[in-house]
mmCIF file of all heavy atoms in Angstrom:
data_model
loop_
_atom_site.group_PDB
_atom_site.id
_atom_site.type_symbol
_atom_site.label_atom_id
_atom_site.label_comp_id
_atom_site.label_asym_id
_atom_site.label_seq_id
_atom_site.Cartn_x
_atom_site.Cartn_y
_atom_site.Cartn_z
ATOM 1 N N ASP A 1419 -19.128 -18.746 0.549
ATOM 2 C CA ASP A 1419 -18.263 -19.859 0.146
ATOM 3 C C ASP A 1419 -18.578 -21.085 1.000
ATOM 4 O O ASP A 1419 -18.407 -21.077 2.210
ATOM 5 C CB ASP A 1419 -16.807 -19.429 0.337
ATOM 6 C CG ASP A 1419 -15.844 -20.448 -0.226
ATOM 7 O OD1 ASP A 1419 -16.315 -21.463 -0.771
ATOM 8 O OD2 ASP A 1419 -14.630 -20.216 -0.114
ATOM 9 N N ALA A 1421 -16.992 -23.715 1.189
ATOM 10 C CA ALA A 1421 -15.778 -24.295 1.761
ATOM 11 C C ALA A 1421 -15.565 -23.800 3.188
ATOM 12 O O ALA A 1421 -14.933 -24.488 3.993
ATOM 13 C CB ALA A 1421 -14.575 -23.951 0.888
ATOM 14 N N LEU A 1422 -16.118 -22.609 3.494
ATOM 15 C CA LEU A 1422 -15.923 -22.083 4.849
ATOM 16 C C LEU A 1422 -16.566 -22.989 5.884
ATOM 17 O O LEU A 1422 -15.999 -23.260 6.937
ATOM 18 C CB LEU A 1422 -16.521 -20.679 4.957
ATOM 19 C CG LEU A 1422 -15.842 -19.610 4.114
ATOM 20 C CD1 LEU A 1422 -16.548 -18.281 4.289
ATOM 21 C CD2 LEU A 1422 -14.378 -19.495 4.489
ATOM 22 N N GLU A 1423 -17.767 -23.465 5.596
ATOM 23 C CA GLU A 1423 -18.437 -24.352 6.537
ATOM 24 C C GLU A 1423 -17.714 -25.686 6.633
ATOM 25 O O GLU A 1423 -17.612 -26.285 7.702
ATOM 26 C CB GLU A 1423 -19.895 -24.558 6.118
ATOM 27 C CG GLU A 1423 -20.715 -23.300 6.357
ATOM 28 C CD GLU A 1423 -22.093 -23.373 5.743
ATOM 29 O OE1 GLU A 1423 -22.271 -24.103 4.755
ATOM 30 O OE2 GLU A 1423 -22.988 -22.698 6.272
ATOM 31 N N GLN A 1424 -17.192 -26.143 5.488
ATOM 32 C CA GLN A 1424 -16.440 -27.390 5.526
ATOM 33 C C GLN A 1424 -15.159 -27.208 6.328
ATOM 34 O O GLN A 1424 -14.773 -28.083 7.098
ATOM 35 C CB GLN A 1424 -16.130 -27.854 4.106
ATOM 36 C CG GLN A 1424 -17.395 -28.223 3.364
ATOM 37 C CD GLN A 1424 -17.116 -28.885 2.033
ATOM 38 O OE1 GLN A 1424 -16.039 -28.774 1.490
ATOM 39 N NE2 GLN A 1424 -18.122 -29.565 1.512
ATOM 40 N N ALA A 1425 -14.524 -26.034 6.156
ATOM 41 C CA ALA A 1425 -13.317 -25.762 6.939
ATOM 42 C C ALA A 1425 -13.667 -25.770 8.427
ATOM 43 O O ALA A 1425 -12.915 -26.288 9.251
ATOM 44 C CB ALA A 1425 -12.717 -24.421 6.533
ATOM 45 N N GLY A 1426 -14.826 -25.206 8.770
ATOM 46 C CA GLY A 1426 -15.264 -25.200 10.158
ATOM 47 C C GLY A 1426 -15.420 -26.607 10.706
ATOM 48 O O GLY A 1426 -14.991 -26.922 11.821
ATOM 49 N N GLN A 1427 -16.027 -27.477 9.904
ATOM 50 C CA GLN A 1427 -16.203 -28.872 10.335
ATOM 51 C C GLN A 1427 -14.872 -29.602 10.385
ATOM 52 O O GLN A 1427 -14.628 -30.416 11.264
ATOM 53 C CB GLN A 1427 -17.134 -29.605 9.369
ATOM 54 C CG GLN A 1427 -18.573 -29.205 9.534
ATOM 55 C CD GLN A 1427 -19.516 -30.341 9.182
ATOM 56 O OE1 GLN A 1427 -19.130 -31.505 9.125
ATOM 57 N NE2 GLN A 1427 -20.762 -30.009 8.947
ATOM 58 N N ASP A 1428 -14.025 -29.271 9.419
ATOM 59 C CA ASP A 1428 -12.711 -29.898 9.377
ATOM 60 C C ASP A 1428 -11.945 -29.580 10.659
ATOM 61 O O ASP A 1428 -11.163 -30.386 11.135
ATOM 62 C CB ASP A 1428 -11.945 -29.352 8.162
ATOM 63 C CG ASP A 1428 -10.685 -30.149 7.870
ATOM 64 O OD1 ASP A 1428 -10.824 -31.352 7.617
ATOM 65 O OD2 ASP A 1428 -9.589 -29.571 7.908
ATOM 66 N N LEU A 1429 -12.209 -28.388 11.217
ATOM 67 C CA LEU A 1429 -11.525 -27.954 12.445
ATOM 68 C C LEU A 1429 -12.365 -28.290 13.675
ATOM 69 O O LEU A 1429 -12.441 -27.522 14.616
ATOM 70 C CB LEU A 1429 -11.225 -26.458 12.366
ATOM 71 C CG LEU A 1429 -10.194 -26.095 11.289
ATOM 72 C CD1 LEU A 1429 -10.280 -24.626 10.907
ATOM 73 C CD2 LEU A 1429 -8.788 -26.444 11.751
ATOM 74 N N TYR A 1430 -13.036 -29.406 13.625
ATOM 75 C CA TYR A 1430 -13.718 -30.001 14.789
ATOM 76 C C TYR A 1430 -14.988 -29.277 15.233
ATOM 77 O O TYR A 1430 -15.465 -29.501 16.340
ATOM 78 C CB TYR A 1430 -12.734 -30.120 15.966
ATOM 79 C CG TYR A 1430 -11.419 -30.720 15.532
ATOM 80 C CD1 TYR A 1430 -10.301 -29.923 15.339
ATOM 81 C CD2 TYR A 1430 -11.322 -32.076 15.255
ATOM 82 C CE1 TYR A 1430 -9.110 -30.458 14.882
ATOM 83 C CE2 TYR A 1430 -10.135 -32.620 14.802
ATOM 84 C CZ TYR A 1430 -9.025 -31.813 14.614
ATOM 85 O OH TYR A 1430 -7.867 -32.341 14.167
ATOM 86 N N GLY A 1431 -15.525 -28.387 14.397
ATOM 87 C CA GLY A 1431 -16.773 -27.741 14.760
ATOM 88 C C GLY A 1431 -17.947 -28.650 14.416
ATOM 89 O O GLY A 1431 -18.059 -29.099 13.283
ATOM 90 N N THR A 1432 -18.825 -28.919 15.411
ATOM 91 C CA THR A 1432 -20.030 -29.688 15.098
ATOM 92 C C THR A 1432 -20.908 -28.827 14.193
ATOM 93 O O THR A 1432 -20.747 -27.602 14.170
ATOM 94 C CB THR A 1432 -20.801 -30.020 16.387
ATOM 95 O OG1 THR A 1432 -21.106 -28.780 17.034
ATOM 96 C CG2 THR A 1432 -19.990 -30.891 17.318
ATOM 97 N N PRO A 1433 -21.812 -29.430 13.429
ATOM 98 C CA PRO A 1433 -22.613 -28.633 12.494
ATOM 99 C C PRO A 1433 -23.282 -27.427 13.167
ATOM 100 O O PRO A 1433 -23.302 -26.339 12.604
ATOM 101 C CB PRO A 1433 -23.651 -29.636 11.992
ATOM 102 C CG PRO A 1433 -22.948 -30.950 12.064
ATOM 103 C CD PRO A 1433 -22.055 -30.869 13.271
ATOM 104 N N ARG A 1435 -22.355 -25.757 15.956
ATOM 105 C CA ARG A 1435 -21.381 -24.726 16.331
ATOM 106 C C ARG A 1435 -20.853 -24.013 15.096
ATOM 107 O O ARG A 1435 -20.587 -22.807 15.129
ATOM 108 C CB ARG A 1435 -20.219 -25.349 17.119
ATOM 109 C CG ARG A 1435 -20.643 -25.779 18.511
ATOM 110 C CD ARG A 1435 -19.471 -26.346 19.281
ATOM 111 N NE ARG A 1435 -18.663 -25.294 19.900
ATOM 112 C CZ ARG A 1435 -17.594 -25.553 20.659
ATOM 113 N NH1 ARG A 1435 -17.209 -26.794 20.857
ATOM 114 N NH2 ARG A 1435 -16.924 -24.576 21.203
ATOM 115 N N VAL A 1436 -20.698 -24.742 13.998
ATOM 116 C CA VAL A 1436 -20.260 -24.112 12.755
ATOM 117 C C VAL A 1436 -21.317 -23.123 12.283
ATOM 118 O O VAL A 1436 -21.013 -22.025 11.832
ATOM 119 C CB VAL A 1436 -19.974 -25.169 11.667
ATOM 120 C CG1 VAL A 1436 -19.807 -24.514 10.299
ATOM 121 C CG2 VAL A 1436 -18.727 -25.964 12.019
ATOM 122 N N ARG A 1439 -20.951 -20.050 14.602
ATOM 123 C CA ARG A 1439 -19.690 -19.312 14.539
ATOM 124 C C ARG A 1439 -19.306 -18.891 13.124
ATOM 125 O O ARG A 1439 -18.577 -17.927 12.939
ATOM 126 C CB ARG A 1439 -18.557 -20.162 15.130
ATOM 127 C CG ARG A 1439 -18.644 -20.375 16.643
ATOM 128 C CD ARG A 1439 -18.216 -19.117 17.401
ATOM 129 N NE ARG A 1439 -16.942 -18.583 16.955
ATOM 130 C CZ ARG A 1439 -15.770 -18.932 17.450
ATOM 131 N NH1 ARG A 1439 -15.709 -19.796 18.422
ATOM 132 N NH2 ARG A 1439 -14.677 -18.389 16.994
ATOM 133 N N ILE A 1440 -19.740 -19.645 12.135
ATOM 134 C CA ILE A 1440 -19.307 -19.337 10.767
ATOM 135 C C ILE A 1440 -20.460 -18.812 9.904
ATOM 136 O O ILE A 1440 -20.381 -17.741 9.334
ATOM 137 C CB ILE A 1440 -18.696 -20.588 10.077
ATOM 138 C CG1 ILE A 1440 -17.657 -21.254 10.966
ATOM 139 C CG2 ILE A 1440 -18.126 -20.228 8.706
ATOM 140 C CD1 ILE A 1440 -16.394 -20.497 11.148
ATOM 141 N N THR A 1441 -21.544 -19.589 9.840
ATOM 142 C CA THR A 1441 -22.629 -19.227 8.925
ATOM 143 C C THR A 1441 -23.338 -17.943 9.368
ATOM 144 O O THR A 1441 -23.453 -16.986 8.603
ATOM 145 C CB THR A 1441 -23.645 -20.374 8.828
ATOM 146 O OG1 THR A 1441 -22.946 -21.605 8.709
ATOM 147 C CG2 THR A 1441 -24.545 -20.185 7.628
ATOM 148 N N PRO A 1443 -22.651 -15.412 11.515
ATOM 149 C CA PRO A 1443 -21.968 -14.106 11.459
ATOM 150 C C PRO A 1443 -21.871 -13.558 10.045
ATOM 151 O O PRO A 1443 -21.897 -12.346 9.837
ATOM 152 C CB PRO A 1443 -20.570 -14.399 11.999
ATOM 153 C CG PRO A 1443 -20.704 -15.639 12.792
ATOM 154 C CD PRO A 1443 -21.808 -16.427 12.169
ATOM 155 N N GLN A 1444 -21.773 -14.456 9.078
ATOM 156 C CA GLN A 1444 -21.653 -13.974 7.705
ATOM 157 C C GLN A 1444 -22.994 -13.652 7.111
ATOM 158 O O GLN A 1444 -23.098 -12.960 6.106
ATOM 159 C CB GLN A 1444 -21.000 -15.054 6.865
ATOM 160 C CG GLN A 1444 -19.681 -15.393 7.451
ATOM 161 C CD GLN A 1444 -18.782 -15.832 6.376
ATOM 162 O OE1 GLN A 1444 -18.328 -15.010 5.579
ATOM 163 N NE2 GLN A 1444 -18.567 -17.103 6.312
ATOM 164 N N LYS A 1520 -17.906 -9.457 2.972
ATOM 165 C CA LYS A 1520 -16.716 -9.692 3.800
ATOM 166 C C LYS A 1520 -16.508 -8.612 4.842
ATOM 167 O O LYS A 1520 -16.891 -7.492 4.666
ATOM 168 C CB LYS A 1520 -15.439 -9.806 2.938
ATOM 169 C CG LYS A 1520 -15.520 -11.036 2.075
ATOM 170 C CD LYS A 1520 -14.158 -11.377 1.484
ATOM 171 C CE LYS A 1520 -14.250 -12.741 0.810
ATOM 172 N NZ LYS A 1520 -13.075 -13.101 0.106
ATOM 173 N N ARG W 450 -10.981 -35.485 -0.144
ATOM 174 C CA ARG W 450 -12.286 -35.215 0.464
ATOM 175 C C ARG W 450 -12.860 -36.472 1.106
ATOM 176 O O ARG W 450 -13.594 -36.389 2.087
ATOM 177 C CB ARG W 450 -13.246 -34.636 -0.581
ATOM 178 C CG ARG W 450 -12.871 -33.206 -0.973
ATOM 179 C CD ARG W 450 -13.698 -32.690 -2.134
ATOM 180 N NE ARG W 450 -15.117 -32.673 -1.847
ATOM 181 C CZ ARG W 450 -15.711 -31.736 -1.118
ATOM 182 N NH1 ARG W 450 -15.017 -30.741 -0.647
ATOM 183 N NH2 ARG W 450 -17.006 -31.793 -0.884
ATOM 184 N N PHE W 455 -15.662 -35.226 3.626
ATOM 185 C CA PHE W 455 -16.662 -34.429 2.906
ATOM 186 C C PHE W 455 -17.305 -35.202 1.776
ATOM 187 O O PHE W 455 -18.218 -34.730 1.110
ATOM 188 C CB PHE W 455 -16.030 -33.146 2.374
ATOM 189 C CG PHE W 455 -15.422 -32.325 3.452
ATOM 190 C CD1 PHE W 455 -14.110 -31.940 3.400
ATOM 191 C CD2 PHE W 455 -16.178 -31.968 4.572
ATOM 192 C CE1 PHE W 455 -13.546 -31.203 4.416
ATOM 193 C CE2 PHE W 455 -15.630 -31.238 5.593
ATOM 194 C CZ PHE W 455 -14.302 -30.853 5.525
ATOM 195 N N PRO W 475 -16.721 -35.605 9.705
ATOM 196 C CA PRO W 475 -15.485 -34.831 9.500
ATOM 197 C C PRO W 475 -14.972 -34.195 10.790
ATOM 198 O O PRO W 475 -13.771 -34.127 11.001
ATOM 199 C CB PRO W 475 -15.891 -33.747 8.503
ATOM 200 C CG PRO W 475 -17.170 -34.164 7.918
ATOM 201 C CD PRO W 475 -17.782 -35.232 8.763
ATOM 202 N N TYR W 476 -15.913 -33.705 11.646
ATOM 203 C CA TYR W 476 -15.479 -32.967 12.832
ATOM 204 C C TYR W 476 -14.957 -33.870 13.947
ATOM 205 O O TYR W 476 -14.573 -33.391 15.000
ATOM 206 C CB TYR W 476 -16.593 -32.050 13.352
ATOM 207 C CG TYR W 476 -17.929 -32.717 13.540
ATOM 208 C CD1 TYR W 476 -18.283 -33.300 14.743
ATOM 209 C CD2 TYR W 476 -18.858 -32.743 12.492
ATOM 210 C CE1 TYR W 476 -19.510 -33.909 14.909
ATOM 211 C CE2 TYR W 476 -20.085 -33.345 12.646
ATOM 212 C CZ TYR W 476 -20.404 -33.923 13.861
ATOM 213 O OH TYR W 476 -21.625 -34.530 14.010
ATOM 214 N N ARG W 478 -12.741 -36.417 12.954
ATOM 215 C CA ARG W 478 -11.536 -37.039 12.390
ATOM 216 C C ARG W 478 -10.299 -36.197 12.732
ATOM 217 O O ARG W 478 -10.308 -34.996 12.504
ATOM 218 C CB ARG W 478 -11.656 -37.160 10.865
ATOM 219 C CG ARG W 478 -12.833 -37.999 10.445
ATOM 220 C CD ARG W 478 -12.825 -38.243 8.941
ATOM 221 N NE ARG W 478 -14.067 -38.914 8.553
ATOM 222 C CZ ARG W 478 -14.287 -39.467 7.368
ATOM 223 N NH1 ARG W 478 -13.350 -39.411 6.453
ATOM 224 N NH2 ARG W 478 -15.436 -40.055 7.105
ATOM 225 N N VAL W 480 -7.932 -35.237 11.341
ATOM 226 C CA VAL W 480 -7.360 -34.959 10.022
ATOM 227 C C VAL W 480 -7.725 -33.525 9.693
ATOM 228 O O VAL W 480 -8.893 -33.163 9.790
ATOM 229 C CB VAL W 480 -7.999 -35.896 8.973
ATOM 230 C CG1 VAL W 480 -7.538 -35.519 7.572
ATOM 231 C CG2 VAL W 480 -7.692 -37.355 9.264
ATOM 232 N N ASN W 481 -6.779 -32.692 9.367
ATOM 233 C CA ASN W 481 -7.092 -31.321 8.977
ATOM 234 C C ASN W 481 -6.673 -31.064 7.541
ATOM 235 O O ASN W 481 -5.778 -31.713 7.031
ATOM 236 C CB ASN W 481 -6.411 -30.310 9.892
ATOM 237 C CG ASN W 481 -7.024 -30.297 11.283
ATOM 238 O OD1 ASN W 481 -8.035 -30.944 11.529
ATOM 239 N ND2 ASN W 481 -6.398 -29.586 12.181
ATOM 240 N N THR W 482 -7.347 -30.091 6.950
ATOM 241 C CA THR W 482 -7.136 -29.824 5.533
ATOM 242 C C THR W 482 -6.664 -28.390 5.303
ATOM 243 O O THR W 482 -7.188 -27.471 5.929
ATOM 244 C CB THR W 482 -8.456 -30.038 4.757
ATOM 245 O OG1 THR W 482 -8.983 -31.319 5.092
ATOM 246 C CG2 THR W 482 -8.231 -29.961 3.262
ATOM 247 N N PHE W 484 -7.175 -26.069 2.468
ATOM 248 C CA PHE W 484 -7.980 -26.047 1.253
ATOM 249 C C PHE W 484 -7.271 -25.279 0.150
ATOM 250 O O PHE W 484 -6.518 -24.348 0.408
ATOM 251 C CB PHE W 484 -9.338 -25.400 1.542
ATOM 252 C CG PHE W 484 -10.208 -26.231 2.433
ATOM 253 C CD1 PHE W 484 -10.081 -26.170 3.810
ATOM 254 C CD2 PHE W 484 -11.153 -27.090 1.904
ATOM 255 C CE1 PHE W 484 -10.868 -26.943 4.633
ATOM 256 C CE2 PHE W 484 -11.954 -27.864 2.720
ATOM 257 C CZ PHE W 484 -11.809 -27.791 4.088
ATOM 258 N N ALA W 488 -9.966 -20.989 2.232
ATOM 259 C CA ALA W 488 -11.186 -20.972 3.037
ATOM 260 C C ALA W 488 -10.956 -20.376 4.418
ATOM 261 O O ALA W 488 -11.421 -20.896 5.426
ATOM 262 C CB ALA W 488 -11.780 -22.391 3.148
ATOM 263 N N LEU W 489 -10.245 -19.256 4.475
ATOM 264 C CA LEU W 489 -10.087 -18.562 5.761
ATOM 265 C C LEU W 489 -11.398 -17.880 6.120
ATOM 266 O O LEU W 489 -12.134 -17.448 5.243
ATOM 267 C CB LEU W 489 -8.962 -17.526 5.657
ATOM 268 C CG LEU W 489 -7.564 -18.089 5.394
ATOM 269 C CD1 LEU W 489 -6.564 -16.951 5.248
ATOM 270 C CD2 LEU W 489 -7.145 -19.033 6.509
ATOM 271 N N PHE W 490 -11.677 -17.799 7.416
ATOM 272 C CA PHE W 490 -12.931 -17.177 7.846
ATOM 273 C C PHE W 490 -12.799 -15.667 7.732
ATOM 274 O O PHE W 490 -12.005 -15.050 8.437
ATOM 275 C CB PHE W 490 -13.264 -17.588 9.274
ATOM 276 C CG PHE W 490 -13.287 -19.084 9.459
ATOM 277 C CD1 PHE W 490 -12.603 -19.675 10.509
ATOM 278 C CD2 PHE W 490 -13.969 -19.904 8.568
ATOM 279 C CE1 PHE W 490 -12.609 -21.055 10.670
ATOM 280 C CE2 PHE W 490 -13.976 -21.277 8.727
ATOM 281 C CZ PHE W 490 -13.296 -21.850 9.775
ATOM 282 N N PRO W 491 -13.598 -15.050 6.838
ATOM 283 C CA PRO W 491 -13.379 -13.626 6.558
ATOM 284 C C PRO W 491 -13.763 -12.712 7.721
ATOM 285 O O PRO W 491 -13.303 -11.589 7.785
ATOM 286 C CB PRO W 491 -14.269 -13.360 5.340
ATOM 287 C CG PRO W 491 -15.270 -14.452 5.332
ATOM 288 C CD PRO W 491 -14.648 -15.639 6.005
ATOM 289 N N HIS W 492 -14.613 -13.215 8.636
ATOM 290 C CA HIS W 492 -15.052 -12.337 9.724
ATOM 291 C C HIS W 492 -14.166 -12.473 10.961
ATOM 292 O O HIS W 492 -14.517 -11.977 12.022
ATOM 293 C CB HIS W 492 -16.507 -12.630 10.067
ATOM 294 C CG HIS W 492 -16.774 -14.069 10.410
ATOM 295 N ND1 HIS W 492 -16.634 -15.094 9.487
ATOM 296 C CD2 HIS W 492 -17.135 -14.654 11.554
ATOM 297 C CE1 HIS W 492 -16.917 -16.238 10.056
ATOM 298 N NE2 HIS W 492 -17.219 -16.005 11.313
ATOM 299 N N PHE W 501 -9.425 -21.178 15.977
ATOM 300 C CA PHE W 501 -10.760 -21.782 15.817
ATOM 301 C C PHE W 501 -10.808 -23.275 16.163
ATOM 302 O O PHE W 501 -11.641 -23.722 16.947
ATOM 303 C CB PHE W 501 -11.268 -21.554 14.392
ATOM 304 C CG PHE W 501 -12.696 -21.999 14.199
ATOM 305 C CD1 PHE W 501 -13.744 -21.174 14.554
ATOM 306 C CD2 PHE W 501 -12.983 -23.264 13.682
ATOM 307 C CE1 PHE W 501 -15.052 -21.589 14.392
ATOM 308 C CE2 PHE W 501 -14.295 -23.686 13.519
ATOM 309 C CZ PHE W 501 -15.326 -22.841 13.874
ATOM 310 N N GLY W 502 -9.895 -24.036 15.578
ATOM 311 C CA GLY W 502 -9.900 -25.479 15.812
ATOM 312 C C GLY W 502 -9.711 -25.819 17.280
ATOM 313 O O GLY W 502 -10.362 -26.728 17.814
ATOM 314 N N GLU W 504 -10.503 -23.923 19.821
ATOM 315 C CA GLU W 504 -11.732 -23.576 20.541
ATOM 316 C C GLU W 504 -12.771 -24.668 20.381
ATOM 317 O O GLU W 504 -13.469 -25.023 21.324
ATOM 318 C CB GLU W 504 -12.289 -22.247 20.031
ATOM 319 C CG GLU W 504 -11.543 -21.043 20.569
ATOM 320 C CD GLU W 504 -11.942 -19.765 19.847
ATOM 321 O OE1 GLU W 504 -13.052 -19.712 19.287
ATOM 322 O OE2 GLU W 504 -11.119 -18.828 19.850
ATOM 323 N N MET W 505 -12.889 -25.200 19.166
ATOM 324 C CA MET W 505 -13.875 -26.251 18.930
ATOM 325 C C MET W 505 -13.525 -27.510 19.719
ATOM 326 O O MET W 505 -14.388 -28.315 20.039
ATOM 327 C CB MET W 505 -13.962 -26.580 17.438
ATOM 328 C CG MET W 505 -14.548 -25.472 16.596
ATOM 329 S SD MET W 505 -16.254 -25.064 17.002
ATOM 330 C CE MET W 505 -16.072 -23.400 17.618
ATOM 331 N N LEU W 506 -12.247 -27.681 20.042
ATOM 332 C CA LEU W 506 -11.828 -28.834 20.846
ATOM 333 C C LEU W 506 -11.941 -28.528 22.341
ATOM 334 O O LEU W 506 -11.552 -29.348 23.176
ATOM 335 C CB LEU W 506 -10.381 -29.215 20.507
ATOM 336 C CG LEU W 506 -10.169 -29.875 19.142
ATOM 337 C CD1 LEU W 506 -8.679 -29.975 18.818
ATOM 338 C CD2 LEU W 506 -10.806 -31.259 19.088
ATOM 339 N N ASN W 507 -12.459 -27.324 22.644
ATOM 340 C CA ASN W 507 -12.658 -26.893 24.037
ATOM 341 C C ASN W 507 -11.374 -26.921 24.856
ATOM 342 O O ASN W 507 -11.372 -27.306 26.027
ATOM 343 C CB ASN W 507 -13.730 -27.746 24.713
ATOM 344 C CG ASN W 507 -15.060 -27.630 24.010
ATOM 345 O OD1 ASN W 507 -15.483 -26.535 23.650
ATOM 346 N ND2 ASN W 507 -15.701 -28.772 23.775
ATOM 347 N N ARG W 549 -3.542 -22.646 10.725
ATOM 348 C CA ARG W 549 -4.856 -22.998 11.252
ATOM 349 C C ARG W 549 -5.052 -24.514 11.252
ATOM 350 O O ARG W 549 -5.613 -25.081 12.177
ATOM 351 C CB ARG W 549 -5.943 -22.321 10.400
ATOM 352 C CG ARG W 549 -7.335 -22.515 10.931
ATOM 353 C CD ARG W 549 -8.361 -21.832 10.066
ATOM 354 N NE ARG W 549 -8.502 -22.500 8.760
ATOM 355 C CZ ARG W 549 -9.409 -22.166 7.866
ATOM 356 N NH1 ARG W 549 -10.240 -21.166 8.105
ATOM 357 N NH2 ARG W 549 -9.489 -22.813 6.721
ATOM 358 N N PRO W 553 -4.340 -27.596 15.764
ATOM 359 C CA PRO W 553 -4.893 -28.668 16.611
ATOM 360 C C PRO W 553 -4.044 -29.945 16.593
ATOM 361 O O PRO W 553 -4.486 -30.946 17.139
ATOM 362 C CB PRO W 553 -6.271 -28.929 16.004
ATOM 363 C CG PRO W 553 -6.510 -27.846 15.025
ATOM 364 C CD PRO W 553 -5.175 -27.377 14.575
#
Side-chain angles (χ1 to χ4, degrees):
Chain A
D1419 188 1
L1422 294 179
E1423 288 170 333
Q1424 294 189 341
Q1427 286 210 18
D1428 192 60
L1429 293 160
Y1430 313 103
T1432 58
R1435 289 182 83 178
V1436 168
R1439 291 284 310 271
I1440 311 290
T1441 316
Q1444 302 210 73
K1520 294 194 171 174
Chain W
R450 289 172 60 79
F455 302 125
Y476 50 91
R478 300 187 187 192
V480 174
N481 289 353
T482 309
F484 291 84
L489 296 177
F490 306 131
H492 55 295
F501 187 83
E504 282 169 24
M505 292 297 115
L506 288 170
N507 299 316
R549 185 180 70 174

